[in-house]
Structure formats: structure tokens, C-alpha cells
Amino acid sequence: MASLPHILVLNGPNLNLLGTREPDVYGKMTLSELESFCRTAGEKLGLEVSCNQSNHEGELVGWIQQARDSAQGLVLNPAGYSHTSVALRDAIAAVGLPLIEVHLSNIHKRESFRHHSYVSAVAEGVICGLGVEGYRLALQALAQKLKG
Ligand code: DQA
């Protein structure tokens, strides 16, 4: 039997604190609950989902580069690096895999420094403000795209 398409879900800095970090903004779900939510959503969509989180820009860049050989698509919440990181943007452009950018909160409703994301210009799509549901929708979009 052919193996399922592999999607890598990456979460950026401070998202390891989900559940206790500003729950009124980011919700009450912990990172490990979010990751199992993504794996279960992936199963229902016929995807193999693996998840990783890092507080380090270079580590995220490394995982995006490695995904070229191991994944068919990416879901990325770049968190604070959205608003600062040319390096993440360049890594995404370099690997050329379809990527959906996700933010739990609606970054456009918040402080003006959050309104621009370096990642958005190289993302297939951007979902923000829908909480954890945004990750499920991102996986659904990738599943549809990979089916052609
Ligand atoms: C975030 C929004 C970013 O502005 C913030 O720095 C985060 C999380 C979100 O998921 O809403 O860390 O990406």
C-alpha cells in the first residue's frame, strides 16, 4: 500500500507555553494537546502528520530544509518570528513545498507590529484568528491540494 502524504506541523517560539500563555488570546489547549489534535485531524484526512516546536530560529530553518526530503507539505505557526524572520521566509522559498501559515489569534486585530508577516508572501495560504481550528483547516487545504 502506498504511504500516506507526510505533513510537518511546526510551531515557533513560546508556543511550548500554550495552555498557560495568555489563554484569553491563545486558548487553553496545551501544545501536546494541539499536536495530538493535528495528528488525529491528519488521520481523518489521509495524512501522516508529525509535529515539532522550537524557540530557536535556526532549528526551525533546519527542519524546513530537511522537510524537502521527508514531507509533501508544511503547516507553520512562526509565532514571533513571523514579524522578524527573513531567514524563515528564505528557507520556505528554498524548499518550495506548499506551506500554510497559521496563527491562533487574529494578528490583524492586534498591535500594528503583528500585522506584517515575512512568511505570508511565500505561503500558499494564511489562516488566523480561528484558534486550533486553523490547524485543521490548514491540513484540509493541504490534503485537497495534494490530491490534485
Ligand atoms: C501567533 C501570533 C504572533 O504575533 C505571536 O508572536 C505568537 C503567536 C498566534 O498564533 O496567534 O507567538 O503566531
Side-chain angles (χ1 to χ4, degrees):
M1 205 172 78
S3 59
L4 297 175
H6 180 217
I7 304 297
L8 182 59
V9 176
L10 293 178
N11 282 297
N14 299 305
L15 294 171
N16 55 312
L17 301 179
L18 279 179
T20 57
R21 175 193 181 199
E22 300 179 79
D24 44 322
V25 179
Y26 299 116
K28 290 198 177 130
M29 197 181 264
T30 64
L31 178 64
S32 83
E33 288 165 347
L34 170 64
E35 291 179 343
S36 67
F37 172 84
C38 288
R39 280 190 293 269
T40 305
E43 259 169 48
K44 290 182 188 155
L45 292 162
L47 301 170
E48 187 202 331
V49 170
S50 45
C51 303
N52 248 325
Q53 184 276 333
S54 180
N55 294 326
H56 301 279
E57 188 175 17
E59 193 160 37
L60 291 163
V61 167
W63 288 335
I64 292 167
Q65 289 182 7
Q66 285 164 22
R68 179 149 55 178
D69 302 319
S70 62
Q72 281 70 56
L74 293 154
V75 175
L76 173 65
N77 183 343
Y81 289 140
S82 318
H83 320 300
T84 63
S85 181
V86 175
L88 278 184
R89 183 232 174 267
D90 286 351
I92 295 158
V95 302
L97 289 170
L99 176 142
I100 312 285
E101 177 182 356
V102 174
H103 301 278
L104 292 157
S105 65
N106 181 349
I107 55 175
H108 301 289
K109 259 190 178 175
R110 301 181 62 196
E111 304 96 321
S112 59
F113 67 83
R114 296 185 201 275
H115 295 177
H116 175 260
S117 163
Y118 283 96
V119 168
S120 299
V122 289
E124 193 83 14
V126 182
I127 300 170
C128 73
L130 301 180
V132 296
E133 178 64 5
Y135 288 77
R136 198 190 61 74
L137 292 170
L139 290 167
Q140 190 181 331
L142 286 173
Q144 237 151 40
K145 185 180 170 65
L146 293 171
K147 274 185 211 144

